[in-house]
Amino acid sequence: MDEEKQGVPSPEGEVSPVETSVETPVETPVETPVETPVETPVETTAVVVQSGGAQPPALPPPPPPTDDDDDPEEQGMLRMSFMEHLEELRSRIIKALYGLVLAFVLSLVFAGQLWDIISEPAVSALKHLGVVPPHLVQITPMESFSIIWVQLPLLCSVFLASPWIVYQVWAFISPGLYKRERRWAAPFVLITAGLFIVGGLFAYFLAFRFGLEFLLGIGMSNSVTPMVSITEYFDLFVNVTLGVGLVFELPVLIFLLTLLRLASPRFLLRHSRYAILAIVIAAAIITPTPDVFNLMLFAIPMCALYFVGVFCGYALVLRREGKRIPWKRVLRVVIIALLAAAAVYFVFAYFHLHVLNKWPYVTR
């Protein structure tokens, strides 16, 4: 009886010792999750300590651009709107016109003496060709007044006021430059205006004189007597002097292109043959005569100015890179050029050679 009752469950749902021993391992996994929450708060606490909150914060936004005042390279640069640029341009143009008007009034006072200076190349050329009387002629009634008292003082005022005009140009572009670049104001004004004035003097004393004598004498072998009006003469004089004066600004143009990083000395040297071709074409357009002598008289100084501008750009690039100019190499090139010029002068002096403005261009 006892054996049969061992396999029968009790009516009141009591569990026998055998069943209790069997179900005890099943209750062990139930107690296992009790340990899991113990580890979870530890991990959560670590995350809270590291992140500083229940939720991880979003990534910080990118830092805003720094102010221009904090950048030492752009310190002192002005920021202007489009209308402010127009107002600044208007102000600079008016100031440049004030200087031009003042120079015009000063030139107007000495208009008679200035005309004697301007007409002297024509008078000398006519005397050398044997033209009697060696004077320019007036064809229309208003010709003398228009040339001597209006156009001539205006031309002279452009050369006299060129430093002031160049300064106004520099003052307009200087707000967009770095502080260290604005220190070049005085050299820029002096060199730019000086080259323009030197170009005008070069045209007056050399290029224009040789070209004018060639043009006046080219028809005399065919019984043609030159009779030059002051209007035609002055127009040719203005074209040559202003053209050569602007051409002499070539080093400044190359320096500005290098300063604005629009060109490099290496690029200019690599393509120098194309630059020389363009210079010869420009000299052929500016030259008042078709002969080779006057063409070379224009082209050689222009080529020299081109390489001077390349050297100035090269010096600027070296300064940017923190390097120094190789003065030994520069002095070597200058000495070779001076020795070549001295050799040419010695040959001309020893053999008593003279330069002509027609073939064969050199004679004893």
Side-chain angles (χ1 to χ4, degrees), residues 140-158:
T140 61
M142 292 295 296
E143 199 170 8
S144 294
F145 175 78
S146 176
I147 297 298
I148 299 177
W149 300 98
V150 178
Q151 298 184 29
L152 175 59
L154 183 60
L155 176 65
C156 295
S157 63
V158 170

Side-chain angles (χ1 to χ4, degrees), residues 281-323:
I281 295 175
I285 296 174
I286 299 174
T287 305
T289 60
D291 61 298
V292 180
F293 177 78
N294 284 281
L295 175 65
M296 299 306 295
L297 191 63
F298 277 79
I300 292 177
M302 291 168 63
C303 292
L305 290 172
Y306 175 81
F307 287 104
V308 168
V310 172
F311 174 76
C312 294
Y314 176 69
L316 176 62
V317 171
L318 289 181
R319 184 179 180 86
R320 284 175 178 172
E321 297 176 354
K323 300 179 182 178

Side-chain angles (χ1 to χ4, degrees), residues 26-241:
V26 178
E27 293 178 357
T28 305
V30 177
E31 297 177 355
T32 303
V34 178
E35 298 178 357
T36 304
V38 176
E39 297 179 357
T40 303
V42 175
E43 297 177 356
T44 305
T45 304
V47 173
V48 169
V49 172
Q50 294 177 359
S51 60
Q55 296 180 355
L59 295 176
T66 57
D67 192 6
D68 294 338
D69 296 337
D70 298 336
D71 192 355
E73 292 291 332
E74 299 184 359
Q75 190 174 10
M77 295 180 64
L78 299 180
R79 292 293 180 264
M80 303 171 64
S81 64
F82 178 73
M83 296 303 297
E84 290 175 342
H85 277 290
L86 292 181
E87 183 66 25
E88 180 69 14
L89 178 61
R90 172 181 172 274
S91 174
R92 295 301 173 182
I93 291 176
I94 292 176
K95 291 179 181 179
L97 289 177
Y98 284 159
L100 190 64
V101 169
L102 182 61
F104 178 81
V105 173
L106 182 63
S107 301
L108 190 61
V109 175
F110 302 96
Q113 293 85 343
L114 290 175
W115 175 251
D116 293 336
I117 297 174
I118 298 300
S119 62
E120 194 273 333
V123 175
S124 299
L126 293 174
K127 287 181 179 180
H128 188 266
L129 295 174
V131 178
V132 179
H135 301 303
L136 300 174
V137 297
Q138 176 183 348
I139 298 177
T140 61
M142 292 295 296
E143 199 170 8
S144 294
F145 175 78
S146 176
I147 297 298
I148 299 177
W149 300 98
V150 178
Q151 298 184 29
L152 175 59
L154 183 60
L155 176 65
C156 295
S157 63
V158 170
F159 283 93
L160 290 177
S162 58
W164 175 252
I165 296 174
V166 173
Y167 172 74
Q168 296 304 321
V169 174
W170 176 265
F172 176 72
I173 65 175
S174 61
L177 301 177
Y178 295 134
K179 184 177 180 180
R180 66 176 184 275
E181 293 173 345
R182 290 200 294 268
R183 300 173 184 174
W184 301 339
F188 175 80
V189 172
L190 294 177
I191 293 175
T192 304
L195 287 175
F196 182 69
I197 296 174
V198 170
L201 295 176
F202 174 82
Y204 176 80
F205 287 104
L206 293 177
F208 184 72
R209 290 177 180 270
F210 284 102
L212 182 65
E213 187 171 346
F214 176 84
L215 292 175
L216 294 177
I218 195 173
M220 295 192 66
S221 59
N222 297 323
S223 302
V224 177
T225 301
M227 185 179 64
V228 186
S229 67
I230 59 176
T231 300
E232 297 295 332
Y233 172 77
F234 187 75
D235 290 343
L236 180 63
F237 181 82
V238 171
N239 293 335
V240 174
T241 52

